[in-house]
Amino acid sequence: MHFFCKLTERIDKELLDMAGPQLRIIGTMSVGFEHLDLKEIKKRNIQVGYTPDVLTDATAELTVALLLATSRRLFEAVHEVKSGGWGSWQPLWMCGKGLKGTVVGVVGAGRIGQEVIKRLIPFKVAKFLYCDRNRKKEVDALGAEHTTRDSLLAESDFVVVTCASTPETQKMFNSVLFSKMKSDAVFVNTSRGNIVDQEALYDALQSGKIGAAGIDVADPEPLPTDSPLLTLKNCGNVLESFLLSV
């Protein structure tokens, strides 16, 4: 018997017991496999198939789009147009923050992180930083500098999170890490929602500890409509971009 699942479906011991010994192959329509109990699956000698690299380009493009929309305040601007907030011309109204001459830090320089860097190079970024378990020659070849996570947070004008979800990275971005970032830093997360402590993110945005955030993922998903994050002008998300375009 074969079983096909999505990232949102937990494959654990209870489900495997129900499936019985006839289950021989599990296919997951995802790059990540944190929803699979791999220890239990291996014990039962079940084969696993997944889809690495299938969304690398799409996610990298979405990351850049979200970064630009957030830094250039496009979410806020569209809202102002629709709500009547667009008045007479003002020199600095909704100018936002540009990429030229800035420092971009990438947390997790795997396939997606590398593709994000490649797409941002034409914007004349002054320096790319990355932190990962190990230094990577292919990332160094892009002109990025390997550094510690704390140094990356302290130096970066833009912090882009593209790391994997593991027990070590869950809730990694908490109040402590947000306090290490620049007060005008733009934070973008397109990895997994559970990597961010959303209460800490709200506090950081609301109090001005960081400048803005663009999120493609949340915990839980979908993000509840009463989430405090949705009340903030300096927090943009992918769903909002579709809603504002209607």
Side-chain angles (χ1 to χ4, degrees):
M1 181 174 72
H2 301 170
F3 186 79
F4 188 70
C5 66
K6 297 176 292 185
L7 183 65
T8 53
E9 297 168 330
R10 177 70 181 167
I11 309 300
D12 54 15
K13 184 178 184 301
E14 181 181 359
L15 188 145
L16 294 171
D17 285 341
M18 292 174 61
Q22 63 268 30
L23 179 60
R24 307 309 306 157
I25 299 175
I26 295 174
T28 177
M29 191 171 62
S30 64
V31 176
F33 38 80
E34 63 268 19
H35 57 303
L36 306 180
D37 187 338
L38 294 179
K39 183 178 179 180
E40 194 66 33
I41 290 171
K42 186 176 181 180
K43 186 191 302 182
R44 299 164 190 252
N45 201 29
I46 298 172
Q47 301 297 308
V48 174
Y50 69 118
T51 56
D53 210 29
V54 69
L55 291 175
T56 298
D57 289 327
T59 305
E61 291 169 7
L62 183 61
T63 301
V64 173
L66 195 53
L67 185 152
L68 291 171
T70 304
S71 63
R72 284 301 188 178
R73 304 176 67 181
L74 298 189
F75 298 113
E76 295 177 69
V78 173
H79 176 75
E80 290 298 313
V81 170
K82 292 191 172 185
S83 64
W86 184 12
S88 60
W89 179 79
Q90 299 177 46
L92 300 179
W93 189 65
M94 292 292 168
C95 278
K97 181 177 182 176
L99 273 163
K100 183 179 179 180
T102 62
V103 177
V104 174
V106 178
V107 180
R111 289 186 294 264
I112 293 173
Q114 292 171 40
E115 291 301 321
V116 169
I117 292 174
K118 291 176 184 178
R119 285 161 172 77
L120 290 178
I121 289 174
F123 287 90
K124 301 179 181 179
V125 172
K127 181 164 64 172
F128 289 101
L129 301 175
Y130 76 96
C131 62
D132 211 301
R133 290 194 185 100
N134 303 298
R135 185 168 185 168
K136 297 183 176 181
K137 293 181 179 179
E138 60 270 30
V139 187
D140 294 343
L142 296 174
E145 299 177 19
H146 184 256
T147 187
T148 64
R149 185 180 63 191
D150 285 355
S151 294
L152 181 149
L153 297 178
E155 291 188 54
S156 297
D157 299 294
F158 297 87
V159 176
V160 179
V161 184
T162 55
C163 62
S165 174
T166 66
E168 293 74 30
T169 60
Q170 289 189 18
K171 305 295 183 185
M172 176 174 67
F173 276 90
N174 53 25
S175 58
V176 175
L177 289 197
F178 287 125
S179 69
K180 296 178 184 290
M181 293 168 59
K182 292 183 177 181
S183 60
D184 63 344
V186 174
F187 175 78
V188 177
N189 180 27
T190 55
S191 53
R192 291 286 187 269
N194 62 12
I195 290 174
V196 177
D197 181 333
Q198 289 178 177
E199 290 186 12
L201 176 59
Y202 173 82
D203 290 340
L205 290 166
Q206 192 273 336
S207 64
K209 289 180 181 177
I210 64 173
I215 56 174
D216 171 50
V217 287
D219 185 23
E221 290 184 355
L223 188 66
T225 55
D226 61 351
S227 169
L229 288 172
L230 297 178
T231 67
L232 298 174
K233 290 184 178 181
N234 57 345
C235 183
N237 61 82
V238 173
L239 174 60
E240 185 178 16
S241 68
F242 288 115
L243 294 177
L244 289 177
S245 67
V246 175

